[in-house]
Amino acid sequence: MFKVAVIGGSGLLGRALNDELARQTGWQTVSTAYSRTSPRMVALDVRDSVAVERFIDRVAPDAVVIAAAERHPDVCERDPALARALNVDAVRMIAGAANRHGAWTLSISTDYVFDGTHPPYRHDSTPAPLNAYGQSKLEGERALTDTAEGGCVLRLPLLYGPIVSWSESAVTSLVPAIAAAAAPGAQAARMDAWAIRYPTFTPDVAFVIRQMLERHARGETVSGIVQWSGDEPMNKYEIAVRLAEALQLDARLTPQRTPTDATPRPHNCHLASSRLEVLGIGRRTPFDMAIREVLAAFPWQGQATSV
C-alpha cells in the first residue's frame, strides 16, 4: 500500500489531487483541511508544530504533498507574518516531520518567485520576487530543499479548475464582473490587459503530481525544483472575453493597458516545463475546453453577481 498525505486537501488544487489519487489502485490518500473540514478530511492547522508531528507520526506516509498556502498576494502584502507562517514555517515543519519518517515531500510554489522581465524562466533561473507573496514562496522553497532529503518543489502559475466559489480562482473570479457588464445599460468592465498569465487546469496539475508520485513509488524520485504550466498566454481581458463566450454573455469589456494593482505583480513569468516534459510527465487541456467543464459543473445563473 502506497500512502500519500495531501496537506491542504480541501483547496482548489488539493481537491483535484484527491480526485486523481482516488483512482489509483493500491494507493491510500489521507487529506487534511483547515477551514473546510469534512468527514473525509483530517482537521489540521499547519502552523501547529505539535499537531503536524502527530499527524505525520499517525499516518506514516510514503509521500507528502504540501498544497496548503496563503496564495493571495494582497493578503501577503498586508500580513507578511501570516504569509511566513503558512508559506515558509509550515513547509519547514511538515518537511522535517516527513523526512524523519523517510517520506518524500513535494511542495507547491509559484511563478511569482520571478520578476517577469525575462521569460521564459527555467527551473534554475535566478528568482527575483516583486511582492511579499513571491518572497514568502521563495523562502518556502528554500525551507523545503534545506529540510527534506530528496524533496521537490513544483512551481505553478495561475490555477483554475472545479470551484466551490467564484473567488476561489483568479480566472473564475472575473465571472461576476462579466455578468454585471452584460446587464442592460451596464457600464463596461475594465479588465487588466497588461500582465500575461498562463492559466493552468488543476486536474492537469493533479495528473502531473500523480505521475511524479508514481516515479517515486518505483524508485525514480524527482527532486529539486520542477515547473509545470499551461501553454496558452493570455491577459485577464482575454480570459474575460473567453469566459463571456463560454457563458454566452454579450458583456461590455474594456482592456486596461497599464497595471493598476496596489500590490506589484510581474509582467510575464512564463515557466518552462522542460524538466518534467523530458521525463514524459505532463498533460495540458485546452483552456476553452477546460473552462467550459468548470462552468458546467458550477451553475452560474443567478449566482454570478455575488461571490
Side-chain angles (χ1 to χ4, degrees):
M1 178 70 69
F2 184 69
K3 189 180 294 186
V4 183
V6 178
I7 310 297
S10 64
L12 183 69
L13 177 57
R15 295 194 309 274
L17 183 56
N18 287 335
D19 290 344
E20 178 68 32
L21 298 185
R23 293 190 284 269
Q24 293 299 109
T25 302
W27 288 26
Q28 179 184 356
T29 305
V30 181
S31 291
T32 76
Y34 175 60
S35 59
R36 288 194 294 248
T37 56
S38 74
R40 296 184 300 166
M41 301 273 180
V42 176
L44 180 68
D45 184 345
V46 295
R47 297 167 294 184
D48 184 337
S49 61
V50 174
V52 167
E53 290 274 0
R54 286 175 178 166
F55 171 76
I56 297 296
D57 285 347
R58 185 177 74 255
V59 174
D62 298 293
V64 178
V65 180
I66 307 174
E70 177 49 67
R71 60 182 180 83
H72 297 95
D74 293 339
V75 172
C76 292
E77 211 70 24
R78 292 193 304 267
D79 194 346
L82 176 65
R84 180 170 187 83
L86 292 173
N87 296 347
V88 185
D89 298 338
V91 172
R92 183 178 291 107
M93 284 190 295
I94 296 165
N99 204 50
R100 285 188 285 278
H101 280 270
W104 180 64
T105 306
L106 175 67
S107 182
I108 304 302
S109 190
T110 175
D111 57 344
Y112 273 29
V113 299
F114 298 113
D115 62 12
T117 58
H118 295 94
Y121 291 95
R122 288 170 41 88
H123 65 280
D124 54 0
S125 297
T126 302
L130 294 181
N131 54 39
Y133 169 63
Q135 183 62 40
S136 70
K137 294 299 285 185
L138 176 59
E139 292 178 20
E141 291 184 4
R142 292 167 177 163
L144 186 284
T145 55
D146 288 347
T147 306
E149 184 177 341
C152 187
V153 170
L154 173 60
R155 290 179 182 145
L156 302 169
L158 173 65
L159 296 180
Y160 72 101
I163 53 171
V164 296
S165 69
W166 293 122
S167 61
E168 196 173 22
S169 163
V171 170
T172 53
S173 68
L174 303 177
V175 169
I178 294 168
Q187 290 188 336
R190 297 185 70 84
M191 296 286 175
D192 178 70
W194 176 78
I196 300 170
R197 309 301 299 274
Y198 287 79
T200 301
F201 193 38
T202 51
D204 289 346
V205 177
F207 183 86
V208 166
I209 293 173
R210 190 258 292 167
Q211 289 182 301
M212 295 175 69
L213 288 164
E214 285 177 332
R215 289 187 69 92
H216 175 67
R218 63 176 184 258
E220 300 172 7
T221 302
V222 179
S223 60
I225 295 174
V226 296
Q227 303 178 153
W228 186 255
S229 173
D231 58 0
E232 298 175 77
M234 60 189 86
N235 54 49
K236 279 192 176 181
Y237 170 76
E238 292 165 333
I239 292 172
V241 168
R242 292 166 82 160
L243 280 167
E245 291 173 354
L247 293 165
Q248 298 183 321
L249 290 175
D250 186 15
R252 298 181 61 217
L253 305 171
T254 302
Q256 171 66 45
R257 303 292 183 185
T258 55
T260 59
D261 291 303
T263 300
R265 284 165 167 79
H267 174 60
N268 182 352
C269 288
H270 184 205
L271 299 174
S273 307
S274 53
R275 190 169 175 225
L276 290 177
E277 288 169 338
V278 298
L279 296 174
I281 291 174
R283 186 184 75 187
R284 292 184 176 95
T285 304
F287 179 81
D288 290 333
M289 180 188 301
I291 199 61
R292 281 169 169 77
E293 181 180 320
V294 171
L295 296 171
F298 192 75
W300 68 274
Q301 293 186 357
Q303 304 178 50
T305 55
S306 64
V307 295

